[in-house]
Amino acid sequence: MILNFKKTRYSILLTSLVVLLFPFMTSAQEELPWKEASPSSQAYHKYRQKNTVPPYGLARVKTLIAAIKPAEDETWKLSNKTYMALSLREKFTYHMIHAEVSSQNCDVSPPILDEDKKIFGNLPDAFDEAAWSERQDNFLLSHRDSVMALISASVKRTNRVGLNYKAAIVAVNGKEMIPFLIETYKLERKDYDLLTVLMLLMKKGEYKPFMTSASFVKLYGSKSTYLSFIDFNKANEELIINRAMAFYNGLR
């Protein structure tokens, strides 16, 4: 009897909570509608996510990565001894294909609609549910010139700047690469994330003509989100390129 009474009381309480929360649950679903993106949008999404795999010591680095065991702090690191035994180029390959820190997301994001018609303010995550560790960030910054040289050499071979390379260029504030990035973009004019990199470099450099523009407010202002974007069109494309070159020329 006592058990049935408790079950009944629990059922009433649960029903009441559902009734009270139902408007909020409905609202949350309305804020994030799940709608399938067009085939061209899906194709561009896949294109954006592609990383570049450097060739330097690749087989050895892959073997070492495969043997890594996760630590209690959710990192996946080579031991310091093994890491320090890598050459600079092997370390570059290691960082470009492996992020040491886990950053798992709980929710699955809905598809981005018309992704192929947008210039975003930020890059996607290069390693899905992982990120570079402090050790990796320090390597990129302390070997900044070498990192930019290795990326440039790789891009010249493939005419492609992978997402991991873009993230590295932003991480090292590779503003010296602006003309090279524009030249590479103009080869096919379809990797709009290269325009995003140009804007992120202007933002890092606090370039006033960009910081005071309507584009900056929309992409990085107080009402912006990580997925804020401006439409891709000829005018916006030319504006970003011209501003980035003016920023670069002002550095010399």
Side-chain angles (χ1 to χ4, degrees):
M1 287 291 289
I2 293 175
L3 185 60
N4 288 337
F5 173 74
K6 286 184 175 179
K7 282 183 176 179
T8 301
R9 191 170 61 174
Y10 174 77
S11 177
I12 292 172
L13 179 61
L14 184 61
T15 302
S16 300
L17 280 172
V18 169
V19 170
L20 287 171
L21 292 174
F22 180 76
F24 300 101
M25 294 164 64
T26 304
S27 174
Q29 289 172 354
E30 288 173 353
E31 288 174 3
L32 296 172
W34 189 282
K35 185 178 179 182
E36 202 67 31
S38 67
S40 61
S41 182
Q42 291 183 41
Y44 185 62
H45 178 79
K46 190 177 294 184
Y47 176 83
R48 292 182 74 208
Q49 304 295 322
K50 190 171 177 58
N51 283 339
T52 302
V53 179
Y56 317 114
L58 182 59
R60 181 188 180 204
V61 171
K62 278 186 170 180
T63 300
L64 292 172
I65 291 173
I68 295 176
K69 295 180 179 176
E72 290 183 357
D73 61 355
E74 297 187 349
T75 57
W76 298 70
K77 294 181 177 179
L78 289 177
S79 69
N80 275 335
K81 182 180 178 182
T82 304
Y83 177 77
M84 293 307 294
L86 296 175
S87 68
L88 186 148
R89 290 185 171 214
E90 288 171 335
K91 286 192 179 84
F92 174 75
T93 296
Y94 172 69
H95 298 316
M96 290 302 109
I97 66 173
H98 178 74
E100 293 183 333
V101 179
S102 174
S103 60
Q104 188 173 8
N105 296 319
C106 296
D107 298 322
V108 178
S109 300
I112 302 173
L113 305 181
D114 295 328
E115 194 166 347
D116 54 329
K117 300 173 184 174
K118 297 174 178 177
I119 305 171
F120 292 91
N122 295 286
L123 297 171
D125 289 335
F127 299 101
D128 196 13
E129 295 184 346
W132 283 319
S133 66
E134 184 177 358
R135 174 170 77 171
Q136 294 181 298
D137 286 335
N138 289 340
F139 169 85
L140 295 174
L141 289 170
S142 60
H143 297 86
R144 182 175 179 273
D145 290 346
S146 297
V147 167
M148 289 193 292
L150 290 170
I151 289 175
S152 296
S154 176
V155 172
K156 286 175 182 174
R157 289 193 296 269
T158 62
N159 292 329
R160 181 71 198 274
V161 187
L163 177 54
N164 51 349
Y165 282 5
K166 295 187 189 92
I169 292 167
V170 174
V172 302
N173 193 17
K175 50 189 181 294
E176 298 93 329
M177 296 183 73
I178 285 175
F180 178 72
L181 293 172
I182 293 174
E183 181 185 332
T184 304
Y185 170 76
K186 286 183 175 178
L187 293 175
E188 295 186 290
R189 294 181 183 271
K190 69 176 187 180
D191 187 352
Y192 307 149
D193 280 340
L194 284 176
L195 302 177
T196 300
V197 173
L198 296 178
M199 292 192 291
L200 288 170
L201 292 175
M202 286 190 281
K203 180 171 177 275
K204 273 185 172 257
E206 298 184 351
Y207 182 52
K208 192 171 181 181
F210 177 57
M211 303 282 282
T212 55
S213 69
S215 299
F216 183 88
V217 172
K218 184 169 184 180
L219 295 171
Y220 309 108
S222 58
K223 295 182 179 178
S224 68
T225 71
Y226 195 77
L227 290 177
S228 290
F229 65 90
I230 56 176
D231 294 333
F232 173 78
N233 54 47
K234 196 68 179 172
N236 282 335
E237 177 195 57
E238 288 183 358
L239 187 58
I240 293 168
I241 289 174
N242 291 338
R243 271 190 182 140
M245 275 309 300
F247 169 56
Y248 171 78
N249 289 328
L251 298 172
R252 296 184 292 174

